[in-house]
Amino acid sequence: MSFPEHRPRRLRRTPAVRRLARETHLVPSQLVLPMFVREGITEPSPIGSMPGIVQHSLDSLRRAAAEAAEERIGGVMLFGVPETRDAVGSGADDPNGILNRATEAVVAEVGDALVVQTDLCLDEFTDHGHCGVLRADGSVDNDATLERYTAMGLAQARAGSAMLGLSGMMDGQVGAVREALDAEGFTDTLILAYSAKYAGAFYGPFREAVDSQLKGDRRSYQLDPGNGREGVREALLDVEEGADVVMVKPALPYLDVLADVRASVDVPVWAYQVSGEYAMVEAAAAHGWIDRRGAILESLLGIRRAGADAILTYWAVEAARWLRAEL
Ligand code: PBG
């Protein structure tokens, strides 16, 4: 009696066989921690919609970065929350702006133990909250914004950022920033292109985290959630313009795009598990409706399986501890 002929369950019978048969692995070096630093505060300030996450003071940021380095995660991505804002986001390329000062402080603290990365976008620094500068009619001016991005990129490189995270979704932003960096001798500064960044509801808690001034939406520059091919096209263009790494964002609702981008480019592909994804799991777990640790690790593994080489996640340090304990 040879029925059933195929018995795939053999590979699932014991923990040892399952461990050996597992296709996808998650390790701390594949995790990047996004961090917020707020100008003018001396104590960390909690973010209501992101329980467990804070806006850091310069001091607490430095300490938290050192802790992240001890867990040997892959890197940190810094976001600045300035005290004052204006129409062109002057704080973004001011060497004394909060993000640039924070970058210097973190690099001084952790050196090369982490890849110190910075968000390159104007939205935290503009009084209207858009990712670029506006024309008189209120629309976002792509090419004028590129000039602001090159200035911001140079300021971040001078502050010691190892990798610039271009998250503004302007056309030509990767090429413009790459050219400016190279012209000033920053040929080693990496560019992470947020290539397929979708407009939608999952950035809600982040807007609280950076005290966003945005009134409307970003649908004239971020991608339409219905468009997968367009995400691949954006990634291909960014590689052509010199991106070292391309990214898909958010992660879980866009795993198909992630897999397609992975199959289409030969540079590393990362994913950003965004604030709304974080908040959903934290809220359900707080109600006792979901196994928090299980849901976090399963979502990270799923994002890896779909094609992400690394993941930006607010759980980076905690997940790294769990992963190490499992070894
Ligand atoms: C833009 C930027 C945003 C996020 C990262 N970079 C906000 C936006 O596009 O509205 C969102 C990250 C998150 O939701 O966790 N500077």
Side-chain angles (χ1 to χ4, degrees):
M1 171 44 193
S2 64
F3 184 82
E5 191 182 343
H6 301 287
R7 294 189 180 272
R9 284 187 56 202
R10 276 197 289 265
L11 283 169
R12 299 170 213 151
R13 205 174 54 83
T14 68
V17 175
R18 287 198 294 272
R19 196 170 63 219
L20 186 59
R22 177 168 262 195
E23 299 170 25
T24 308
H25 295 272
L26 189 60
V27 297
S29 63
Q30 295 160 338
L31 304 176
V32 174
L33 177 69
M35 304 177 90
F36 304 103
V37 57
R38 177 168 182 174
E39 191 169 27
I41 59 173
T42 50
E43 292 297 322
S45 167
I47 300 162
S49 53
M50 300 180 75
I53 308 298
V54 299
Q55 294 176 330
H56 282 289
S57 68
L58 268 176
D59 253 5
S60 74
L61 178 78
R62 212 177 305 146
R63 282 194 302 274
E67 203 181 307
E70 265 165 43
E71 294 301 332
R72 278 175 288 154
I73 64 169
V76 291
M77 170 63 76
L78 306 180
F79 293 91
V81 186
E83 233 166 1
T84 57
R85 301 176 164 91
D86 62 23
V88 296
S90 302
D93 55 322
D94 178 350
N96 286 317
I98 183 62
L99 179 54
N100 297 322
R101 282 173 54 211
T103 303
E104 276 173 17
V106 169
V107 171
E109 180 75 33
V110 304
D112 281 337
L114 292 172
V115 180
V116 177
Q117 309 165 38
T118 45
D119 184 59
L120 200 169
C121 190
L122 287 177
D123 64 319
E124 291 94 7
F125 297 93
T126 52
D127 54 13
H128 46 72
H130 273 293
C131 293
V133 296
L134 304 182
R135 295 195 191 86
D137 68 0
S139 62
V140 174
D141 185 336
N142 191 91
D143 298 11
T145 299
L146 296 185
E147 287 177 31
R148 298 292 302 128
Y149 285 3
T150 56
M152 188 176 186
L154 287 173
Q156 294 184 348
R158 288 187 189 115
S161 176
M163 184 177 228
L164 312 185
L166 275 64
S167 66
M169 289 300 285
M170 294 300 127
D171 291 342
Q173 60 182 13
V174 171
V177 171
R178 182 73 270 161
E179 192 181 299
L181 290 171
D182 291 352
E184 294 287 318
F186 291 108
T187 52
D188 289 335
T189 304
L190 291 152
I191 290 183
L192 162 62
Y194 288 49
S195 302
K197 178 173 179 180
Y198 287 86
F202 288 94
Y203 308 138
F206 175 94
R207 304 263 164 95
E208 181 194 343
V210 299
D211 191 16
S212 173
Q213 306 296 305
L214 186 68
K215 297 287 184 304
D217 60 55
R218 306 199 197 288
R219 291 182 190 279
S220 78
Y221 40 105
Q222 298 181 349
L223 291 169
D224 186 284
N227 294 0
R229 290 192 304 270
E230 198 180 353
V232 173
R233 175 165 188 246
E234 287 277 9
L236 290 171
L237 288 172
D238 285 345
V239 171
E240 203 180 294
E241 290 180 29
D244 298 287
V245 177
V246 295
M247 189 148 78
V248 175
K249 170 187 182 182
L252 279 192
Y254 297 95
L255 293 185
D256 57 328
V257 180
L258 185 55
D260 286 349
V261 169
R262 169 71 289 166
S264 308
V265 303
D266 52 11
V267 298
V269 179
W270 295 4
Y272 197 142
Q273 183 176 52
V274 301
S275 58
E277 298 178 78
Y278 177 88
M280 286 194 297
V281 173
E282 290 293 344
H287 279 86
W289 294 342
I290 200 169
D291 167 20
R292 182 173 177 277
R293 175 187 157 134
I296 291 170
L297 288 175
E298 186 177 334
S299 66
L300 290 169
L301 190 65
I303 296 164
R304 283 269 304 135
R305 190 196 64 245
D309 298 294
I311 304 167
L312 274 72
T313 173
Y314 298 97
W315 290 302
V317 168
E318 193 177 11
R321 282 193 194 112
W322 292 336
L323 294 169
R324 193 157 290 114
E326 272 177 14
L327 288 179

